[in-house]
Amino acid sequence: TQLLEQSPQFLSIQEGENLTVYCNSSSVFSSLQWYRQEPGEGPVLLVTVVTGGEVKKLKRLTFQFGDARKDSSLHITAAQTGDTGLYLCAGAGRLVFGQGTRLTINP
Amino acid sequence: DVKVTQSSRYLVKRTGEKVFLECVQDMDHENMFWYRQDPGLGLRLIYFSYDVKMKEKGDIPEGYSVSREKKERFSLILESASTNQTSMYLCASRRGGANYGYTFGSGTRLTVV
C-alpha cells in the first residue's frame, strides 16, 4: 500500500503552460518534501513544507501544504524545458516516497 | 559542496554472487538510507541507520543486509544476488530529525544476469 499517492503519474505539456501536480495521503505528516530527479541522478531536494496551510515559492514553483497536513501540491508557472524531470514527494517520519510524477515540457 | 558518493554507477553481476554497494557521505550526517527505485513503484526503503553500528529494516529488507562500521559509510550487501534485484539503488543521508531533507547519491544501476 502506497502511503503517498501522486497524480498525475505522467504529464506532458508545452513550454509556457502552467501545471499542478498533487501528493495525497490518508495519513498526517509532520512535514512533506518535494524532490526533482533527472535521468541518471539521485533526487535533489526542492523544498520542505512544515506548517499546515503553508505556501512556499521557489521562483516559478509554488508549493502548498494542506491544512490537515495530509496533502501537498506543486504548481509550476510558465513551464520551461529545464523543468523536465521526475518529481517526488516524501513524507517525514515514515521515510516514504510517492511513486513520482514524470513531467515532460516540450519546446 | 556536500556529497553522497556511491562507489559504482553501473554494475553487472551473476545470479548467486555476493554484491557489495558502498556509500560514503562527507556531511557528518547521523542518518543513512538505502532505497531501490523501480519504474512504477517509486523509491522503496530497504534499510536505514540512525547511528554507527545501528540498523533498522525498511519495507523490503529480504535478500539484503547492511553494515555501518563508521559514521560516514553505509554498505548494502546482497547476500546472493537474484534477477529480481536488478534495479537502481540509491543511498541517502540526512541530519538527525525527521524534517531535514535527504541528500542522495547518484545511484548504482545494478543488473543481475
Side-chain angles (χ1 to χ4, degrees), chain A residues 32-104:
Chain A
L32 274 175
Q33 297 163 354
W34 286 91
Y35 294 78
R36 180 169 68 209
Q37 185 179 19
E38 300 188 14
E41 297 297 329
V44 175
L45 178 67
L46 296 174
V47 76
T48 300
V49 285
V50 179
T51 306
E54 180 178 8
V55 177
K56 280 192 173 178
K57 292 194 173 184
L58 188 66
K59 297 183 181 179
R60 294 174 294 99
L61 278 60
T62 302
F63 304 85
Q64 186 162 7
F65 200 13
D67 291 340
R69 292 186 288 124
K70 292 183 178 181
D71 56 87
S72 182
S73 63
L74 158 60
H75 181 79
I76 301 179
T77 302
Q80 300 177 357
T81 55
D83 296 327
T84 292
L86 179 68
Y87 289 80
L88 296 158
C89 64
R94 293 184 181 82
L95 307 177
V96 62
F97 281 77
Q99 78 273 43
T101 293
R102 188 163 296 281
L103 176 63
T104 303

Side-chain angles (χ1 to χ4, degrees), chain A residues 2 9 30-31 33 35 37 40-45 48 50 86 88 90 92-99, chain B residues 9-10 33 35 37 40-43 45 48 50 59 88 90 94 98-107:
Chain A
Q2 190 75 32
Q9 288 195 42
S30 60
S31 68
Q33 297 163 354
Y35 294 78
Q37 185 179 19
E41 297 297 329
V44 175
L45 178 67
T48 300
V50 179
L86 179 68
L88 296 158
R94 293 184 181 82
L95 307 177
V96 62
F97 281 77
Q99 78 273 43
Chain B
R9 292 297 296 265
Y10 300 94
F33 308 83
Y35 287 88
Q37 185 174 29
L41 298 177
L43 275 73
L45 181 64
F48 60 102
Y50 286 137
D59 298 320
M88 169 69 89
L90 289 164
R94 192 189 69 188
N99 290 345
Y100 288 107
Y102 296 83
T103 300
F104 281 90
S106 296

Side-chain angles (χ1 to χ4, degrees), chain B residues 6 9 21-22 28 33 36 62 112:
Chain B
Q6 294 185 230
R9 292 297 296 265
L21 302 183
E22 306 287 347
D28 201 36
F33 308 83
R36 63 177 282 178
E62 296 78 19
V112 182

Side-chain angles (χ1 to χ4, degrees), chain B residues 66-82:
Chain B
V66 290
S67 172
R68 195 166 180 203
E69 296 296 317
K70 293 185 177 181
K71 190 175 186 179
E72 67 271 19
R73 186 179 296 270
F74 192 35
S75 303
L76 179 69
I77 303 152
L78 286 66
E79 297 291 343
S80 177
S82 63

